[in-house]
Amino acid sequence: MKKGKKLYEGKAKIIYATADKNLVIQYFKDDATAFNNQKKSVIEGKGVLNNRISEHILSNLSQIGIKNHLVKRLNMREQIIKLVEIIPIEFIVRNVATGSITKRLGIEDGTVLKAPLIEYCLKDDKLGDPLISEEHILAFDWATKSEIETVKKMILRINDFMIGMFRGVGIKLIDFKLEFGRLKSNGKNEVILADEISPDTCRLWDVITDKKLDKDRFRKDLGDLIPAYTEVAKRLGILHEQSNLSSVNNITKLSSVKKKNK
Ligand code: UDP
């Protein structure tokens, strides 16, 4: 599928038009940002890993009936996705308290929550993605009551599925961020899952050691981000054990071998 003009460039991804007005190409960059863009870096290979991990998770979610924007992965960095109107809210899902909530509310880091907690943040970089309530969403028409209800049900299913999927490979799903979009079909709007789900948007801790296998390695200057994301991909069975996959060069090699074998 031919890449058309650039429609949008975000912090970690670029969206390009295609010949089909309902489909766009999502390109995963290597750029890493944190603390509302104050910390920036380029981490070679991050985009490749996020593309693969997000593809894996979204296609598994499709199989359990969670509709999402992924059509198919095109190559190492690109996927074809359905064009949606993004709901301007970041839905944060927490199973264990860490990160911003611990500072905001004085909760001890690592506190296991008795039920998943959903928080809403307005998607607005200039304002620093402020925390908002359901009342704000309704007051300013960012989403309808029925959209919120639909999204909440989807979130709980996604969380259940992802907790199990990660638990099965020795990883605790601490928290994550989701985005949803409106898909126009037969004149009606349907809310579907959009954006990406990857170690950039989740907090993932090793079950035994609590080692961080996510973007906190960048936020907290822990180093070894690529080996950590590679570890997640390997455990999910996206990359195979036989080769020593510690670098993206290896991932690239593996992908071309797979293509040749097809
Ligand atoms: N998150 C994200 N994008 C954002 C904000 C948060 O993907 O713009 C994810 C983040 O990776 C974590 C979860 O949402 O998995 C909760 O993030 P938190 O609010 O604790 O963010 P912090 O301010 O600590 O980065």
Side-chain angles (χ1 to χ4, degrees), residues 159-203:
N159 187 41
D160 273 351
F161 174 80
M162 282 178 44
I163 287 177
M165 178 188 72
F166 280 118
R167 190 79 200 188
V169 297
I171 293 173
K172 280 188 276 190
L173 177 62
I174 303 300
D175 61 23
F176 57 104
K177 187 254 317 185
L178 296 174
E179 294 187 27
F180 292 82
R182 301 181 181 104
L183 181 72
K184 285 203 170 61
S185 59
N186 304 326
K188 278 194 307 201
N189 268 334
E190 186 183 15
V191 174
I192 64 169
L193 175 66
D195 193 50
E196 70 175 289
I197 303 181
S198 71
D200 263 11
T201 62
C202 301
R203 283 199 176 93

Side-chain angles (χ1 to χ4, degrees), residues 9-26:
E9 178 154 5
K11 286 176 279 191
K13 294 183 296 289
I14 308 175
I15 302 293
Y16 295 95
T18 70
D20 183 333
K21 68 175 178 11
N22 299 313
L23 300 177
V24 291
I25 290 173
Q26 170 164 258

Side-chain angles (χ1 to χ4, degrees), residues 11 35 90 92-94 98-101 103-104 119 129 175-177 199-203 215-216 219:
K11 286 176 279 191
F35 313 118
E90 295 193 339
I92 308 287
V93 192
R94 300 185 187 275
T98 193
S100 66
I101 195 172
K103 294 179 202 112
R104 194 184 341 119
E119 291 180 334
D129 297 342
D175 61 23
F176 57 104
K177 187 254 317 185
D200 263 11
T201 62
C202 301
R203 283 199 176 93
K215 207 170 106 176
D216 271 354
R219 293 190 190 95

Side-chain angles (χ1 to χ4, degrees), residues 2-8 14-18 24:
K2 247 190 85 199
K3 211 149 72 181
K5 75 168 200 282
K6 192 197 278 188
L7 298 178
Y8 168 81
I14 308 175
I15 302 293
Y16 295 95
T18 70
V24 291

